[in-house]
Amino acid sequence: MATNVAILASGSGSNFQNIAESDLDITIKVLIVDNPNAYAIERAKKLDIPYRVVDRKHYTKETFEKEILDILKECDVELVVLAGFMKILSPNFISKYEDKIINLHPSLLPSFKGPEGIKDAFEYGVKVTGVTVHYVDSGIDTGKIIAQEAVGVEDTDTLETLEEKIHEIEYRLYIEALKMVLEEL
Ligand code: GAR
């Protein structure tokens, strides 16, 4: 039976759309965004996927997470997929979905953690960076790695061309990694 999934996003939502259009055996019960201006909302409307806006500005950290947990419960969510979700989840939240929260990060962890993985790697001048899919634990970008893929940074690359290369890898790698996760559920 298809696994009930929630996707959490803060911005463009291109990975959300890619997952929604994939052949994964999932039902996206809800897209949750923490930002009312996230373009991911437009994608959810076009894809006819239910979405909820939990605007971080209107909550304390505790009530923000409580609201999201209530939605997950209401939707019988079995797996939480972060796709460009830029808020750090508390240990309390994570303990409710232990080994059931997956994140996508645009660098080869443990290098370049944090919200600007692509830019930080590019500005550092690395010759190799990449994409990581990992379980979320109570650290920041520290959970067990599920899949990783490297990409070379060429002298001709700009931040924009590197971003494009990383996104192309993300679209393929996140689906492959989620397939592995779903098999083990
Ligand atoms: C992706 O590149 C993802 O790896 C990154 O945000 C982008 C979201 O793009 N996530 C992080 O940096 C998490 N720390 P999208 O909204 O188009 O899917």
Side-chain angles (χ1 to χ4, degrees), residues 60 69 73 105 154 178:
T60 64
L69 284 168
K73 202 166 173 193
H105 187 78
E154 309 301 330
L178 288 170

Side-chain angles (χ1 to χ4, degrees), residues 20-102:
E21 292 175 341
S22 75
D23 63 354
L24 287 172
D25 188 16
I26 58 173
T27 303
I28 303 177
K29 299 286 286 185
V30 64
L31 167 78
I32 302 175
V33 296
D34 62 322
N35 159 19
N37 300 315
Y39 186 69
I41 295 171
E42 302 310 314
R43 298 184 196 265
K45 287 180 189 164
K46 282 197 196 117
L47 290 159
D48 209 14
I49 290 175
Y51 68 91
R52 301 280 284 271
V53 180
V54 185
D55 189 345
R56 177 67 179 87
K57 287 196 298 291
H58 299 153
Y59 296 87
T60 64
K61 171 110 180 158
E62 206 180 325
T63 57
F64 172 71
E65 291 195 343
K66 164 98 174 46
E67 182 71 17
I68 295 177
L69 284 168
D70 286 348
I71 296 170
L72 298 180
K73 202 166 173 193
E74 180 189 316
C75 296
D76 281 328
V77 167
E78 304 168 86
L79 187 70
V80 179
V81 174
L82 308 185
F85 185 69
M86 293 305 183
K87 297 287 179 300
I88 306 298
L89 297 167
S90 73
N92 172 59
F93 185 104
I94 292 160
S95 70
K96 304 273 194 304
Y97 282 86
E98 207 163 348
D99 295 332
K100 302 280 186 295
I101 310 175
I102 314 296

Side-chain angles (χ1 to χ4, degrees), residues 11-16 83-84 86 103-106 114-115 118 141 167 170:
S12 161
S14 67
N15 279 282
F16 153 61
M86 293 305 183
N103 186 41
L104 171 70
H105 187 78
I118 307 176
D141 298 328
H167 289 315
E170 287 183 337

Side-chain angles (χ1 to χ4, degrees), residues 142-172:
T142 54
K144 184 168 176 263
I145 291 174
I146 301 162
Q148 231 170 7
E149 189 169 314
V151 61
V153 185
E154 309 301 330
D155 292 342
T156 49
D157 270 323
T158 61
L159 178 57
E160 288 69 32
T161 60
L162 182 59
E163 278 169 353
E164 278 170 29
K165 286 199 224 172
I166 296 264
H167 289 315
E168 284 311 311
I169 294 173
E170 287 183 337
Y171 300 146
R172 182 171 38 75

Side-chain angles (χ1 to χ4, degrees), residues 104-119:
L104 171 70
H105 187 78
S107 76
L108 285 183
L109 291 174
S111 293
F112 305 109
K113 297 172 181 167
E116 306 248 43
I118 307 176
K119 186 161 171 273

